Amino acid sequence: MEDAFLIEKAQADSLKGRKVIGAPSKYYFNDLGIRFAATEFKGDDQEPHYMENIIYNELISRGYIVNTGRLSVNERDTDGKQDFRQYEIDFVCEKGGERIYIQSAMVIPGDEKMTQEKRPLLMVHDSFRKVLVSKYFSGAMFDNDGILQVGLFDFLTKPELLSK
C-alpha cells in the first residue's frame, strides 16, 4: 500500500537520542475515503484517528518531514517504586531547521486529560514550538507552560500559527 501511495509511514523518533528507533511506526492514509472504507464505514469511535490522519496530511502538504516521538522515562509510581514508562508525541515535524512537536486530542474534558496530553510535550526540554490541537477548542493561545493550544479548524486554515 505504501508503494501504491495509499498510505505513508511515520517512523518513531527517540527524542532522547534524536534518532529513529525500532519502535512500531504509525501509518496514515493519503485519502481518508479509503481509510473510511477500510474501517467498514464505522466512524463514531474512529473520529480521533481521522483527526490525527487529517493533521498528518496537512503537515505533509505544508512540506514538513513528520515522525512520531517516543520518550522513555523512569518515574516513581504512587507506591514509590521505580516504573519505566513510555510516552508518545503524536507528531515531530521538521522543515528547514525548524522542529515542532504536536499533540492531537479530539476532546479535552477536564484537567486530568489536559495533564495527560501535555505531559509528553513538557518532557521535551528544548526551545522548539509545542502545540496541542483539539477539535473543540476555538482560536489559538499560549498557555502558562508555553504550549500553543489551537483548535483543529484554526490549525487547518491558519498555517502561520506554526511559525515563530
Side-chain angles (χ1 to χ4, degrees), residues 71-129:
L71 291 161
S72 301
V73 294
N74 283 314
E75 294 181 329
R76 295 207 181 273
D77 63 14
T78 54
D79 299 331
K81 297 178 185 173
Q82 281 287 87
D83 190 20
F84 180 78
R85 294 193 180 153
Q86 284 209 324
Y87 294 96
E88 178 184 272
I89 294 178
D90 292 326
F91 305 109
V92 179
C93 316
E94 295 188 21
K95 178 170 73 170
E98 172 188 23
R99 180 180 273 219
I100 302 170
Y101 304 98
I102 299 176
Q103 283 291 88
S104 168
M106 177 66 66
V107 180
I108 303 176
D111 291 341
E112 187 175 325
K113 178 67 171 174
M114 180 64 78
T115 300
Q116 175 189 343
E117 293 297 335
K118 288 172 52 174
R119 179 178 288 128
L121 295 173
L122 295 172
M123 290 179 171
V124 177
H125 302 290
D126 63 22
S127 61
F128 292 111
R129 180 155 292 179

Side-chain angles (χ1 to χ4, degrees), residues 18-32:
R18 304 254 168 135
K19 61 181 178 177
V20 175
I21 57 176
S25 301
K26 283 185 160 182
Y27 291 88
Y28 296 98
F29 281 82
N30 289 322
D31 182 336
L32 285 176

